[in-house]
Amino acid sequence: MRKRAASMRTGVTSRVPRAPAKPWRRAACAAAAALAALAALAGGGCGTSHPPPIGAGALAEAQTFPYYRVYWVGPSFIGRPLAAADGQKGYLAKVGTSVYYGDCVHQKGIFGGGTCVLPLQVTTVTYHLHANATLGPQRNIVVRGVPATVYDEGRSIEVYTGQVAIDVFSDTFEHAYQAALQLRPLNAPGSASGRLPPPVYCPELSGAIDAHLQKVMDHLPGRACQKLNAAVALAKGLTSPAGGP
């Protein structure tokens, strides 16, 4: 399981937002939260002080992540500083890399009972084709010109751009959507305004797709969705019994 080394260095005493439909990612985040809490208890006594903003070294490591564009929303979010960021050390492709904003010292933490949800976690991972039905109740939208899916009772948004998927985990839909509108590359040139780069793949959305989103999907680079639909149809045809539908 991936260790969140950057989180431990900053001593974040929090539990990350929920992503119940992605068990492997949830397990990695839960381990990170526990390790961070232990680090805070060891380094700061009772672990009830606010962690400082991310250190220059940890930020520099995230800014030089070499494999793909990593997204963040800037040095702070709704007044909460960037507290930790994953880097190349300990990187696992299946888990991706994350940035974390704020802390939970105003609520009960891991060892105090209850739950504690960070204001924001942004996870960037290389996209691999998967059925979004596993995300549970959801709805599909367009965010800054690209497809996106809202799930986890509105607290999480998965945004599809370039070669990656960006999962925005927050405590409310308003915060998650606000963060999605502010996404920008951390380790590459870019801004928080204008359209995001369109995905080079066709996300396998589940549920209703309105006319606006359908138009976006139909115009993805390389006719990605048309090619995927043709491949699926061909596969179904090859596996159908002779003489069947």
Side-chain angles (χ1 to χ4, degrees):
M1 186 176 295
R2 183 183 184 188
K3 295 180 180 179
R4 300 288 186 167
S7 300
M8 289 190 289
R9 284 198 295 271
T10 59
V12 178
T13 60
S14 58
R15 178 182 174 188
V16 297
R18 298 185 299 148
K22 296 193 174 185
W24 53 265
R25 200 171 298 174
R26 178 182 60 185
C29 292
L35 290 170
L38 288 172
L41 288 172
C46 65
T48 57
S49 61
H50 289 272
I54 189 171
L59 181 58
E61 182 181 345
Q63 289 173 324
T64 56
F65 185 79
Y67 302 128
Y68 51 75
R69 286 188 177 188
V70 174
Y71 284 83
W72 69 331
V73 297
S76 66
F77 178 71
I78 58 171
R80 306 292 183 87
L82 177 68
D86 296 334
Q88 188 175 356
K89 295 178 182 177
Y91 167 71
L92 291 177
K94 183 178 288 188
V95 176
T97 185
S98 297
V99 295
Y100 311 86
Y101 291 83
D103 63 85
C104 296
V105 298
H106 61 290
Q107 302 180 36
K108 292 181 178 180
I110 294 174
F111 301 114
T115 60
C116 185
V117 180
L118 284 172
L120 182 65
Q121 174 187 331
V122 180
T123 297
T124 310
V125 63
T126 301
Y127 181 84
H128 296 284
L129 189 64
H130 61 270
N132 278 3
T134 60
L135 296 178
Q138 61 195 269
R139 60 189 177 93
N140 301 310
I141 61 174
V142 175
V143 173
R144 291 175 58 190
V146 300
T149 297
V150 180
Y151 65 102
D152 188 22
E153 299 179 356
R155 291 183 291 263
S156 302
I157 303 176
E158 187 165 75
V159 181
Y160 308 104
T161 176
Q163 297 178 334
V164 303
I166 308 168
D167 280 285
V168 178
F169 302 114
S170 194
D171 50 358
T172 67
F173 169 74
E174 291 73 17
H175 287 162
Y177 188 68
Q178 179 181 346
L181 295 178
Q182 296 176 13
L183 290 169
R184 70 196 74 175
L186 173 60
N187 57 342
S191 72
S193 62
R195 293 174 174 265
L196 290 166
V200 297
Y201 55 85
C202 181
E204 193 170 345
L205 304 180
S206 178
I209 297 177
D210 64 21
H212 182 201
L213 177 55
Q214 188 62 60
K215 184 176 180 180
V216 170
M217 299 282 282
D218 288 343
H219 289 82
L220 293 181
R223 298 175 59 82
C225 288
Q226 291 87 338
K227 290 180 179 178
L228 176 63
N229 293 337
V232 170
L234 177 61
K236 287 183 178 179
L238 294 175
T239 57
S240 296

